[in-house]
């Protein structure tokens, strides 16, 4: 065991004395030391229950003969950080989480790890760390929030943001806005739709790093505590059999994750996180693979914000594994891959049933015969951009209109609230990319304001930043190259015609090459002032979005 190099022998007496200082007995230090990486805190609703999850994991580890030791990971609540400077500090934490976990684990010599994350950057950050460390590891999240109820209908955080847009447009009054405020987010847990946190927790199951139910069992269910205990017990089996993350997260596993992503209709942020995790695993991940898999994968689920079902409904229908069962029937999965259960995916799928075909449709009744995400290319996005096509209204799948150009989120949201965006417009928000933002802010406020004003079926949004998983409509993000790196998006002007064709994976700025070259000489690249500290270092070392916004290690 790894910890033997720290515990055994006369030369390690100083280390043992410090274990005594922790109150650890000789019996405890003779067992495998299991690090439990808990992102519990009192500011993120998805993490406020992780103290209970962590205690359950500790009990599971101890029951199976290990010694559990807890240390923390940070987490940012994207909802609270949304719409202000704080959102610059969301995506950037993914690498802080991976780096700090690496430091803690290697400094203290753990034999195995149980990761206890829940929200947006926390999950991929810890998956990156798991791949980098490559010691036996299992994940158990805090689980999703239950849906809210407003006017007798289920609702969620995306509805709350859209209610703000409706209020600004005069469509609802302050009393109704307050009702949304008080009822949209009724419990702890990751927000109740197929947003980024839930997308990544579901994909953790598909990658094989979390037990069945990791992505869908609600945070407030007692079965979530049981799942955590089982994860604690299972890490001891993984240590015993020396099953490591790189044995599980293989090229086949990532193809499965992309396939499930398409069927589930996951957040576009998965197209940032899967490449970043794959990079740590040494697996090549090309964005064009998304379109290849999308072409043969039906979209089986329309969870909020795409539809009116929620994570609790997916759980009752059989969860992620019921979706995988439908995909297995179609021959779309590589089922010989190993999982953290110690069994193959094929073995795990035995006896699994789809319990509600209204929530998880079959190929015959699918919402579409192509997947939930599309990667578009063209002169405006030479290296690609991403849209959650399952949340786009049919009439917006093909659109052409005049550009309305803004150099920040703050600029556009003011104009939207003032009623300055009209039907047919293509809103362009630039200098919000990984380097130029810096930090590639999620922009749920503009998309929700557009939807709240009833324009989501008439207006498209394009950005080199990113959109929240709670976004719906023709919201196209991750435009690469970004404006700050000289991408064509930096040279778009008001009134330019932009053509979007999602079924054909195309996006074009209809301006002549001669005019573009002229603009490149006349329009300087903007440089944001006052960037310092970690954001400055991040801005100088981060890759483009098409590469997963990873930190350049050279």
């Amino acid at each position: 065991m790894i910890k033997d190099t720290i515990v055994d022998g006369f030369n390690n007496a100083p280390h043992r004395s410090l274990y005594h200082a922790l109150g650890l007995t000789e019996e405890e230090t003779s067992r495998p030391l299991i690090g439990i990486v808990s992102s519990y805190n009192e500011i993120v609703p998805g993490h406020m229950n992780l103290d209970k999850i962590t205690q359950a994991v500790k009990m599971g580890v101890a029951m199976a003969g290990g010694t559990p030791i807890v240390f923390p990971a940070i987490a940012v609540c994207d909802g609270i950080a949304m719409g202000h400077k704080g959102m610059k500090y969301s995506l950037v934490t993914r690498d802080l989480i991976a780096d700090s976990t690496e430091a803690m684990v290697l400094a203290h010599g753990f034999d195995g790890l149980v990761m206890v994350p829940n929200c947006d950057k926390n999950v991929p950050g810890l998956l990156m760390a798991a791949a980098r460390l490559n010691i036996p590891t299992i994940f158990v999240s805090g689980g999703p929030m239950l849906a809210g109820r407003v006017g007798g209908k289920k609702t969620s955080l995306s509805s709350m943001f859209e209610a703000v847009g409706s209020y600004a447009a005069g469509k609802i009054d302050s009393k109704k806005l307050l009702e949304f405020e008080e009822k949209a987010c009724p419990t702890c847990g990751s927000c109740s739709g197929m947003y980024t946190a839930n997308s990544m927790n579901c994909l953790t199951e598909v990658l094989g790093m979390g037990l069945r139910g990791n992505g869908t069992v609600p945070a407030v269910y007692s079965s979530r505590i049981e799942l955590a205990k089982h994860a604690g017990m299972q890490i001891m089996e993984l240590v015993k059999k020396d099953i490591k993350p790189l044995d599980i997260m293989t090229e086949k596993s990532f193809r499965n994750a992309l396939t499930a992503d398409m069927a589930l209709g996951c957040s576009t942020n998965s197209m940032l996180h899967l490449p970043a995790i794959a990079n740590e695993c040494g697996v090549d991940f090309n964005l064009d693979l998304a379109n290849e898999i999308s072409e043969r994968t039906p979209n089986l689920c329309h969870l909020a914000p795409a539809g009116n079902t929620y994570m609790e409904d997916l759980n009752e229908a059989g969860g992620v594994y019921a979706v995988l069962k439908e995909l297995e029937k179609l021959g779309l999965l590589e089922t010989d891959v190993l999982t953290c259960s110690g069994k193959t995916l094929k073995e795990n799928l035995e006896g699994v049933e789809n319990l509600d075909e209204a929530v998880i449709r079959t190929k015959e009744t699918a919402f579409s015969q192509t997947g939930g995400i599309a990667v578009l290319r063209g002169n405006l996005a030479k290296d690609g951009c991403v849209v959650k096509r399952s949340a786009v209204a049919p009439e917006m799948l093909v659109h052409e209109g005049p550009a309305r150009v803004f150099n920040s989120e703050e600029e556009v949201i003011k104009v939207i609230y003032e009623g300055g965006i009209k039907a047919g417009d293509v809103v362009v928000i630039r200098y919000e990319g990984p380097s130029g933002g810096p930090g590639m802010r999620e922009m749920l406020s503009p998309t929700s304001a557009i939807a709240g004003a009833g324009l989501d079926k008439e207006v498209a949004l394009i950005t080199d930043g990113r959109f929240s998983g709670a976004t719906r409509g023709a919201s196209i993000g991750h435009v690469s190259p970004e404006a700050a790196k000289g991408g064509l998006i930096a040279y778009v002007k008001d009134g330019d015609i932009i053509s979007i064709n999602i079924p054909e994976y195309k996006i074009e700025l209809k301006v002549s090459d001669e005019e573009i070259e002229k603009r490149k000489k006349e329009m300087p690249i903007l440089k944001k002032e006052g960037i310092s500290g970690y954001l400055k270092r991040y801005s100088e070392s981060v890759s483009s979005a098409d590469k997963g916004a990873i930190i350049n290690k050279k």
Side-chain angles (χ1 to χ4, degrees):
M1 292 186 292
I2 298 171
K3 62 98 182 163
D4 291 344
T5 61
I6 295 174
V7 174
D8 292 348
F10 75 92
N11 57 312
N12 285 324
H15 303 84
R16 293 194 295 274
S17 72
L18 292 169
Y19 284 135
H20 285 300
L22 290 169
L24 293 177
T25 65
E26 185 177 342
E27 290 83 358
E28 287 174 301
T29 56
S30 68
R31 299 170 181 168
L33 297 183
I34 306 300
I36 302 174
V37 189
S38 172
S39 58
Y40 166 75
N41 59 62
E42 295 181 341
I43 187 61
V44 183
H47 293 211
M48 63 179 285
N49 67 321
L50 294 190
D51 54 342
K52 295 177 176 62
I53 301 297
T54 300
Q55 284 301 120
V57 170
K58 287 179 69 175
M59 186 174 291
V61 170
M63 284 192 295
T67 298
I69 299 177
V70 179
F71 64 90
I74 63 170
V76 165
C77 176
D78 279 23
I80 294 174
M82 195 74 65
H84 57 93
K85 183 180 179 180
M87 182 45 74
K88 292 180 182 289
Y89 287 90
S90 172
L91 180 60
V92 303
T93 64
R94 189 184 67 185
D95 293 277
L96 287 176
I97 291 162
D99 292 348
S100 58
T101 302
E102 174 191 358
M104 285 294 289
V105 172
L106 293 181
H108 299 107
F110 293 104
D111 296 302
L113 296 170
V114 183
M115 306 295 200
V116 188
N118 209 27
C119 290
D120 299 36
K121 311 308 161 303
N122 204 244
V123 181
L126 290 177
L127 282 165
M128 290 164 67
R132 194 183 299 175
L133 291 161
N134 201 33
I135 64 173
T137 303
I138 194 169
F139 278 65
V140 57
S141 77
M145 184 184 292
L146 294 180
R149 297 288 196 284
V150 175
K153 295 181 179 179
K154 287 184 179 180
T155 191
S156 61
L157 184 66
S158 56
S159 302
M160 178 69 253
F161 273 89
E162 289 179 17
V164 173
S166 296
Y167 177 77
K171 293 179 177 289
I172 62 171
D173 59 18
S174 59
K175 183 179 179 181
K176 193 67 176 180
L177 181 65
L178 180 62
E179 185 181 4
F180 272 99
E181 180 182 329
E182 293 177 341
K183 296 180 178 179
C185 300
T187 73
C188 63
S190 47
C191 295
S192 57
M194 188 55 81
Y195 311 145
T196 306
N198 291 326
S199 294
M200 293 311 301
N201 281 322
C202 287
L203 295 180
T204 299
E205 277 192 61
V206 185
L207 283 170
M209 293 298 291
L211 297 174
R212 182 179 176 183
N214 178 68
T216 60
V217 174
V220 294
Y221 282 15
S222 296
S223 53
R224 173 62 59 176
I225 300 295
E226 294 178 42
L227 181 66
K229 289 177 183 176
H230 282 128
M233 289 186 273
Q234 184 58 25
I235 188 58
M236 298 306 296
E237 284 297 307
L238 297 178
V239 169
K240 180 180 177 182
K241 295 176 181 176
D242 197 30
I243 297 175
K244 299 173 182 177
L246 296 187
D247 299 322
I248 295 171
M249 290 193 287
T250 63
E251 183 177 354
K252 288 182 178 181
S253 300
F254 280 98
R255 293 183 73 91
N256 285 344
L258 258 182
T259 302
D261 190 327
M262 297 300 168
L264 285 163
C266 290
S267 163
T268 52
N269 281 314
S270 64
M271 300 307 293
L272 281 176
H273 300 321
L274 286 176
I277 300 160
N279 176 68
E280 296 288 352
C281 294
V283 171
D284 183 50
F285 191 106
N286 188 304
L287 275 188
D288 290 329
L289 182 62
N291 289 345
E292 175 194 322
I293 288 176
S294 178
E295 281 297 320
R296 61 174 182 266
T297 307
N299 178 221
L300 305 180
C301 299
H302 259 195
L303 284 84
N308 297 316
T309 52
Y310 296 82
M311 295 305 296
E312 62 200 66
D313 302 311
L314 179 60
N315 187 63
E316 293 302 315
V320 173
Y321 268 68
V323 177
L324 295 181
K325 190 68 177 181
E326 293 295 341
L327 296 173
E328 182 193 34
K329 292 175 186 175
L330 302 174
L332 295 176
L333 295 177
E334 304 273 5
T335 58
D336 59 341
V337 293
L338 187 63
T339 72
C340 66
S341 69
K343 299 177 181 178
T344 65
L345 179 58
K346 184 175 184 61
E347 291 175 299
N348 288 346
L349 286 171
E350 290 177 6
V352 172
E353 295 180 29
N354 179 356
L355 302 177
D356 189 342
E357 292 186 2
V359 176
I360 305 171
R361 295 192 177 186
T362 64
K363 178 177 173 60
E364 292 70 32
T365 60
F367 291 99
S368 69
Q369 294 302 315
T370 52
I373 288 177
V375 174
L376 314 183
R377 289 187 188 269
N379 66 348
L380 191 56
K382 180 171 62 71
D383 295 331
C385 57
V386 180
V387 63
K388 186 172 182 175
R389 91 169 129 192
S390 60
V392 179
E395 53 265 51
M396 287 299 294
L397 290 171
V398 177
H399 180 75
E400 187 169 291
R404 293 292 309 281
V405 184
F406 303 90
N407 290 331
S408 71
E409 178 185 6
E410 287 81 4
E411 288 181 22
V412 69
I413 195 68
K414 182 175 184 293
V415 173
I416 295 171
Y417 285 155
E418 291 172 351
I421 301 300
K422 306 301 181 186
D425 285 348
V426 178
V427 176
V428 177
I429 313 169
R430 62 191 177 193
Y431 293 104
E432 291 287 3
S435 179
M440 203 179 184
R441 287 191 289 183
E442 277 188 352
M443 288 177 281
L444 180 56
S445 295
T447 58
S448 297
I450 290 288
L455 292 170
D456 57 295
K457 296 179 180 179
E458 299 173 289
V459 170
L461 294 95
I462 298 172
T463 184
D464 54 3
R466 61 197 178 96
F467 293 117
S468 166
T471 292
R472 63 185 173 95
S475 301
I476 300 165
H478 310 190
V479 169
S480 300
E482 62 176 290
K485 297 295 186 181
L488 186 56
I489 192 172
Y491 303 106
V492 181
K493 289 186 176 182
D494 279 346
D496 287 348
I497 300 301
I498 294 176
S499 172
I500 300 162
N501 191 321
I502 295 173
E504 294 185 6
Y505 308 114
K506 292 178 181 178
I507 184 167
E508 292 287 334
L509 175 67
K510 293 198 163 183
V511 173
S512 70
D513 292 342
E514 292 78 16
E515 174 63 18
I516 290 169
E517 289 305 313
K518 180 183 175 185
R519 291 182 188 182
K520 286 182 178 180
K521 294 174 183 176
E522 297 174 348
M523 297 172 65
I525 298 297
L526 299 184
K527 301 291 183 183
K528 293 193 177 177
E529 302 296 327
I531 305 299
S532 61
Y534 179 58
L535 281 183
K536 182 174 176 61
R537 298 198 304 277
Y538 183 88
S539 176
E540 292 169 350
S541 59
V542 68
S543 80
S544 58
D546 64 294
K547 298 288 191 278
I550 59 175
I551 297 298
N552 189 338
K553 295 183 172 63
K554 293 182 181 178

